[in-house]
Amino acid sequence: MTLHLSILLWLPAAAGLLGLFAGRAARWVTLAGALLALAFSIALIADFDTSAKGLQYVTDQTWIAQLGIHYKLGVDGLNLFLLVLTTLLFAASVLWSGLDRVERPGQFFFWLGLAETAVLGALLAQDLALFVVFFDLMLIPFFFLTGSWGGPGRVPAVLKLVIYTLVGSLLMLTAAIATAVLAPGQGTTFVLSELAHRTLGTGSQEWIFLCFAAAFLVKMPAFPLHGWMPDGYRAMPMPVLAVFSGVLSKVAAYGFLRIALPLFPQAAAHYQELLLLIALATILYGSVLAFTTTNTRLILGYSSMAQLGFITLGIFALRPEGAQGAVIQAVNHGLVVAPAFFICALLAARAGGSEDLRDMGGIAARAPVLAALFLIVALANLAMPGSSNFVGEFLILLGVFNAKIVISIVAFTGVVLASVYTLRLFIRSMHNRVGPNVVSRDITVSDGLVLVPLVAVILAFALYPQLALHKGEATITRSIQPAAQAAAQPQIAATP
Amino acid sequence: MTPKAPIIDWAGLSPLVALLGGAVIVLLVGLLRPRFVREVIVPLLALATFATAAGLGIWQWGEQISLISGALRLDQLAIALMWIICATGAAAVLLSWRAVAPREAAHGEYYALLLTSAAGMLVLVAAQNLVTLFAGLELLSIPLYVLCATEMRRETSLESGLKYLIIGSVGSATFVYGLAFLYGATGSTDFAGIDRALNSSSLVSDPLLLTGIALSVVGLGFKASIAPFHQWTPDVYEGAPTPITAFMAVATKAAAFGAFLRLFDGALLNAQADWGPALAALAAITIVVGNVGALGQTSLKRLMAWSSVAQAGYLLAGVVVATKLGLQATVFYLAVYLFMNIAAFAVIIIRERQTPLGDDIAAFAGLGTTAPLPAAVMTVAMLSLAGIPATAGFIGKFYVIEAAIDGNYAWLGIVIVIGSMLSLAYYLRVVAAMWMLEAPEAPVSTVTGRPALAGGDLDAPAPGAGIEVYAVAAVFGVATLFFGIVPSPLFDLAVKVGSSLTSLF
């Protein structure tokens, strides 16, 4: 069976474009596109050949011959589950916004569709230039979505967000061009599989790696580069925030595994400790702030930051188990954070429109279904044994334990802190004293239409995490191998 | 023995002849009385002239010939840049169709000056000799000084013309002084002769040569608005009639960079060690100054002026590296610059004629809801100028950065992206105003007559934004998007142009 990835890639944008001219039917057109993309990606999982080495369903066309840029798409164990996560969360987000009332729906759904295509493009791209194109393009739909449909203070917030994150992305642009131009060999090429054979000298590798790392760390966001996050999160409309937090940060983590480690193994080994320390700082900083802040969005935002810190930690353990844990955790976190933001919107609707934790409390009283769903999400977020998040965090910590034991010991506190801030969020909103304006009521059918499938996926994944582990194992190990070797043999890494 | 006249290849010279001949015809037809002739026939003739010149360029494409005993050279570089100039000229004619400026300055003169200026640009980009280089520069500048001041009843227009005249003259004088030094150092006014002289002798750090290079950089820097010789740009751009601003922004830049390429990547190639680092430093300064200057602007014409300074810096990076890739990238970027800039100016003109706010950014508030299509074009133009993927500006920037890294100027590549980051702050401000701010409360009436400076007609009807302005906006906006997704045709063009400076590799 051949599955053309271009269809998957362009379907959401095409549906969005169609919706632009569909007037009031825009949401249904876009939803159809998003659901078809979801079905397509599920078909990919079913059809995926676990035993095959390398990329599958490859599409390879020359895009700009003069620069050696190809339109090359492919799927392997690294991006397979992130693709499904993306299509799932976007479908949920489109459905959720479709059930709500949005102003200027044509434009809203057009941007949402374009955003999905851009994210899928970044995940599918097997050409460095194509990756950069989609990675930078991702931001533009979110610029419009936040700036036009966001909450108060949206315009300054979104300008800050875009400029902050594009700073990294544009550095990456230069770095990507330098990778291709400075690589030894005949002619210029941007195709990743070719670049992997043309290893750069150590000196060039280091500055190029740092540029890439800057782009990815800003996007995540990681500790010193997270300045855009609080304002941006506060201003974004909730369904948009769910995909932004659920998917975009994962693309950054994915970028490390797809691009930075295979192409610049010596530099990755060289900066391993720096990146581990940044990840550690991110975990601790995110956890502490998630524990102290009272805005529910920001609790989830800082908690995401901490989770992304774990993912980075797993990647830069530079060991197969750590990287595998990172990939699983990326999927898990996306699955958890999107319904969490949705619940956060439901809580705000029950607390008189306030998203502040101090105005909530006692919401569980007449909302048993909401409370149950929230509890599942919360337990998954704190990596309860039995959840898939537990598997992910375990593998990550195992990898770090094998690589740098001191760092792993500090990182363990992050796990503890996760349960503290997650349970605080749950208890203070659902139980405790009833808040001043709280009107407890259970979820409606249309809320359930979005929320229940997402929670069901969390449960299914908890029961059967091997699905992702098994399909991804071979590729993840391969992508980490050069860097792992370089880390194991520092004396070789030192020579150019 | 009587001296023999040089052989003139009329076929090769035909585009230039067409432009100058067209200018004369337009001037004469403009003298006729009927209003229809002046307001319709004259601009149509000007359009036809630009089309003829561009068409003759297609006919001569592929030739690499020397004209008038080595004074000019017709090759792909000259023709490609001429296309850019003619496209800009044609767009300027359409944008001027209902504008105030030609009505006040008389249609015949206005369009004839536009054509003469374009002819000067063609001479400049085809020049093979220091003398023709200077002649071309003056032929392009003098009509522009006049054109800037054609809205005779508006103070700022006159100010703009005068300012441009004075500063432009300083630039020209510096330039001709520099050319004299170059001649003194190398003993030749011919580019090939200069190249030979630099190749054979040890002139490399000859003070005469260095002074000549420095002064000609300054002179060309004035024309291309390279920092620190850019101070005139915001004032002149703001004051000049907007169609002329659009013409200046694109065509003058194309011509000036054509001259840069001819002089530095052609004649002075062997002295690259001397001028390379200096030009690279200027490029970096220009990028930073232009982008920082644009940050606080509220007038869009001033904003575009600062942005054009910044873009000049990006273009200069392609000249600095002195490689074939650099040449290609420069020409490619100029073509891209044409699309995005004209699209932006067309929308600015639409708003200028619809609201009393003129070119202030407030005129764009809420445009996304009141007029989505012009707003979409402006959005594409702004994103392209900022270098966002899926627009031609991204590919252009990509190419320039690749050329910079390939030419061992990786740091200049970093400066370019830092400039792009700064630029996002003001380009996105325009986009945000259109889509994210509310439209002004009361629907504002159209523009009233302009203040009379010299007994003007206060009640003259304000020009409306006709279909032709929308057409220009649409065509160039679509081109910006199209070449961002399918850039190969432009790349083919750029690669062919790359073969015209044979000494580069």
Side-chain angles (χ1 to χ4, degrees):
Chain A
M1 188 160 98
T2 42
L3 294 167
H4 289 283
L5 294 178
S6 294
I7 299 176
L8 171 65
L9 174 57
W10 297 108
L11 196 64
L17 195 62
L18 214 60
L20 200 53
F21 304 104
R24 298 177 60 83
R27 50 189 174 170
W28 306 123
V29 177
T30 317
L31 181 62
L35 287 177
L36 280 175
L38 175 61
F40 198 109
S41 60
I42 291 172
L44 272 184
I45 294 197
D47 191 57
F48 188 80
D49 182 0
T50 312
S51 60
K53 284 202 175 79
L55 294 169
Q56 300 182 34
Y57 318 109
V58 176
T59 303
D60 193 356
Q61 304 274 332
T62 307
W63 181 26
I64 304 174
Q66 292 85 350
L67 296 182
I69 299 178
H70 283 232
Y71 171 75
K72 185 177 178 189
L73 310 174
V75 171
D76 59 13
L78 213 53
N79 55 8
L80 178 66
F81 281 87
L82 288 172
L83 286 173
V84 185
L85 174 74
T86 307
T87 51
L88 177 70
L89 293 194
F90 268 97
S93 170
V94 171
L95 179 63
W96 177 1
S97 338
L99 295 172
D100 247 358
R101 201 167 283 281
V102 219
E103 277 178 57
R104 285 183 282 156
Q107 287 174 27
F108 182 87
F109 288 104
F110 167 70
W111 289 121
L112 211 51
L114 190 65
E116 182 171 358
T117 289
V119 175
L120 288 175
L123 290 173
L124 285 170
Q126 302 297 334
D127 178 288
L128 191 54
L130 198 64
F131 175 81
V132 173
V133 164
F134 282 116
F135 193 85
D136 287 359
L137 190 61
M138 280 194 310
L139 212 50
I140 296 306
F142 286 98
F143 169 67
F144 284 99
L145 287 168
T146 310
S148 299
W149 289 274
R154 55 185 195 252
V155 176
V158 79
L159 283 177
K160 190 171 168 188
L161 182 153
V162 169
I163 292 168
Y164 226 112
T165 42
L166 267 184
V167 168
S169 305
L170 287 168
L171 282 177
M172 183 173 76
L173 171 65
T174 305
I177 297 171
T179 311
V181 172
L182 302 180
Q186 272 295 309
T188 315
T189 179
F190 282 89
V191 179
L192 286 176
S193 50
E194 306 234 346
L195 284 175
H197 297 297
R198 304 181 175 191
T199 319
L200 289 165
T202 325
S204 323
Q205 263 195 30
E206 284 176 5
W207 74 263
I208 292 175
F209 174 82
L210 285 180
C211 286
F212 273 100
F216 298 145
L217 291 175
V218 173
K219 196 71 130 200
M220 274 180 167
F223 165 56
L225 306 169
H226 65 281
W228 58 269
M229 201 271 280
D231 287 350
Y233 270 45
R234 261 197 292 261
M236 253 183 229
M238 206 63 102
V240 175
L241 183 54
V243 279
F244 188 88
S245 178
V247 177
L248 260 72
S249 49
K250 310 306 172 303
V251 179
Y254 166 79
F256 273 121
L257 285 172
R258 171 69 73 197
I259 308 226
L261 296 193
L263 295 191
F264 321 110
Q266 278 90 20
H270 185 244
Y271 288 113
Q272 181 190 13
E273 285 176 2
L274 174 70
L275 267 296
L276 284 176
L277 286 176
I278 289 178
L280 202 57
T282 309
I283 295 173
L284 297 178
Y285 181 88
S287 303
V288 168
L289 278 176
F291 181 62
T292 49
T293 188
T294 55
N295 183 316
T296 45
R297 283 179 190 235
L298 290 188
I299 295 176
L300 291 176
Y302 286 116
S303 131
S304 303
M305 226 178 118
Q307 296 294 323
L308 262 300
F310 266 110
I311 293 170
T312 317
L313 206 63
I315 293 169
F316 280 91
L318 298 184
R319 301 186 59 88
E321 60 272 20
Q324 247 193 334
V327 172
I328 285 220
Q329 191 61 7
V331 177
N332 284 334
H333 175 245
L335 284 176
V336 167
V337 84
F341 275 117
F342 188 55
I343 290 169
C344 176
L346 295 177
L347 294 180
R350 281 154 182 72
S354 166
E355 287 173 357
D356 199 294
L357 208 50
R358 284 168 297 193
D359 297 330
M360 296 178 180
I363 294 179
R366 285 161 195 246
V369 181
L370 178 61
L373 292 173
F374 191 10
L375 189 61
I376 296 172
V377 173
L379 291 181
N381 194 44
L382 61 83
M384 191 77 172
S387 70
S388 168
N389 298 53
F390 176 75
V391 181
E393 285 192 5
F394 178 80
L395 283 172
I396 288 172
L397 290 170
L398 179 66
V400 182
F401 190 84
N402 287 338
K404 309 270 171 193
I405 189 160
V406 183
I407 289 180
S408 82
I409 290 170
V410 185
F412 273 115
T413 57
V415 183
V416 180
L417 286 171
S419 44
V420 175
Y421 61 71
T422 310
L423 289 177
R424 167 175 172 265
L425 174 64
F426 181 77
I427 294 169
R428 288 194 58 174
S429 58
M430 301 308 282
H431 299 299
N432 270 14
R433 187 172 299 143
V434 179
N437 298 317
V438 168
V439 182
S440 175
R441 59 175 187 276
D442 218 332
I443 57 172
T444 61
V445 177
S446 59
D447 296 335
L449 219 54
V450 185
L451 199 49
V452 172
L454 288 175
V455 175
V457 176
I458 296 179
L459 287 177
F461 214 49
L463 293 175
Y464 192 51
Q466 288 89 342
L467 180 69
L469 282 176
H470 187 54
K471 297 218 179 201
E473 195 174 0
T475 2
I476 294 166
T477 311
R478 204 166 45 248
S479 90
I480 201 123
Q481 204 166 25
Q485 277 169 359
Q489 296 161 299
Q491 68 277 13
I492 291 178
T495 54
Chain B
M1 198 175 104
T2 49
K4 237 171 95 183
I7 300 160
I8 293 176
D9 181 346
W10 288 105
L13 212 53
S14 57
L16 185 60
V17 173
L19 282 177
L20 287 172
V24 174
I25 294 171
V26 163
L27 191 61
L28 291 178
V29 173
L31 293 175
L32 297 177
R33 288 304 298 275
R35 215 177 133 183
F36 175 75
V37 173
R38 281 181 289 133
E39 290 189 357
V40 178
I41 303 283
V42 165
L44 273 183
L45 277 175
L47 267 186
T49 308
F50 280 121
T52 312
L56 290 169
I58 296 175
W59 173 44
Q60 289 294 314
W61 179 252
E63 303 274 349
Q64 296 204 353
I65 38 174
S66 209
L67 306 169
I68 329 179
S69 50
L72 298 172
R73 180 179 150 90
L74 187 85
D75 54 16
Q76 285 91 332
L77 176 62
I79 293 178
L81 290 179
M82 183 188 73
W83 283 338
I84 294 176
I85 292 161
C86 284
T88 318
V93 171
L94 287 174
L95 296 179
S96 309
W97 200 283
R98 282 165 230 242
V100 178
R103 223 162 47 195
E104 294 194 343
H107 290 78
E109 279 91 327
Y110 180 87
Y111 292 111
L113 285 170
L114 198 62
L115 287 167
T116 319
S117 180
M121 292 171 183
L122 178 54
V123 171
L124 190 67
V125 300
Q128 279 297 301
N129 187 304
L130 296 180
V131 179
T132 35
L133 191 69
F134 185 67
L137 190 78
E138 287 300 273
L139 188 59
L140 100 80
S141 305
I142 293 169
L144 274 183
Y145 302 148
V146 184
L147 283 170
C148 283
T150 40
E151 278 189 27
M152 285 182 282
R153 302 210 182 90
R154 196 159 51 82
E155 248 177 293
T156 46
S157 174
L158 298 177
E159 182 199 329
S160 146
L162 189 63
K163 209 170 241 174
Y164 196 23
L165 169 66
I166 293 170
I167 295 185
S169 310
V170 173
S172 296
T174 322
F175 189 55
V176 78
Y177 199 31
L179 296 186
F181 274 105
L182 285 184
Y183 172 63
T186 59
S188 174
T189 62
D190 188 50
F191 283 2
I194 294 173
D195 188 38
R196 267 197 304 279
L198 289 176
N199 207 6
S200 53
S201 63
S202 55
L203 273 174
V204 175
S205 43
D206 179 47
L208 212 54
L209 178 76
L210 291 183
T211 319
I213 291 175
L215 289 174
S216 39
V217 168
V218 173
L220 278 179
F222 272 112
K223 290 293 155 200
S225 34
I226 285 167
F229 317 111
H230 67 284
Q231 278 99 343
W232 59 274
T233 318
D235 290 348
V236 173
Y237 275 34
E238 189 191 17
T242 317
I244 297 303
T245 311
F247 181 71
M248 273 199 296
V250 179
T252 313
K253 200 138 281 178
F257 276 96
F260 258 117
L261 289 169
R262 290 269 185 223
L263 189 58
F264 288 89
D265 289 358
L268 300 172
L269 184 61
N270 288 312
Q272 200 228 356
D274 290 337
W275 54 259
L279 275 195
L282 277 185
I285 293 170
T286 307
I287 291 169
V288 173
V289 167
N291 283 317
V292 171
L295 285 176
Q297 303 298 330
T298 53
S299 150
L300 275 188
K301 276 161 85 179
R302 285 186 84 85
L303 189 143
M304 291 301 287
W306 285 106
S307 127
S308 90
V309 172
Q311 309 276 339
Y314 307 146
L315 284 162
L316 197 56
V319 177
V320 166
V321 294
T323 57
K324 197 166 264 182
L325 199 63
L327 167 65
Q328 290 165 6
T330 310
V331 173
F332 187 94
Y333 201 90
L334 278 171
V336 167
Y337 184 68
L338 159 75
F339 299 133
M340 54 199 188
N341 245 30
I342 297 290
F345 274 111
V347 182
I348 292 176
I349 287 175
I350 292 175
R351 288 314 282 167
E352 216 174 33
R353 295 185 190 171
Q354 284 173 345
T355 71
L357 296 168
D359 64 330
D360 194 273
I361 195 166
F364 283 78
L367 193 63
T369 39
T370 54
L373 286 180
V377 170
M378 192 68 176
T379 307
V380 168
M382 290 291 131
L383 293 182
S384 179
L385 282 164
I388 299 291
T391 60
F394 173 78
I395 312 272
K397 221 161 258 175
F398 196 103
Y399 212 179
V400 169
I401 295 173
E402 169 152 338
I405 294 173
D406 181 65
N408 287 327
Y409 278 99
W411 65 270
L412 204 51
I414 302 266
V415 174
I416 292 175
V417 297
I418 291 174
S420 305
M421 293 164 200
L422 287 170
S423 75
L424 278 167
Y426 56 91
Y427 291 130
L428 288 183
R429 208 151 48 87
V430 180
V431 178
M434 287 190 290
W435 299 98
M436 297 163 199
L437 297 184
E438 296 292 319
E441 296 269 307
V444 277
S445 61
T446 49
V447 194
T448 50
R450 291 173 183 276
L453 195 76
D457 178 6
L458 267 173
D459 303 322
I467 181 84
E468 74 280 351
V469 185
Y470 284 96
V472 169
V475 167
F476 285 87
V478 168
T480 308
L481 211 52
F482 176 80
F483 288 113
I485 297 164
V486 190
S488 297
L490 273 189
F491 270 107
D492 287 337
L493 185 77
V495 168
K496 285 192 185 114
V497 169
S499 61
S500 44
L501 291 186
T502 41
S503 44
L504 294 179
F505 56 90

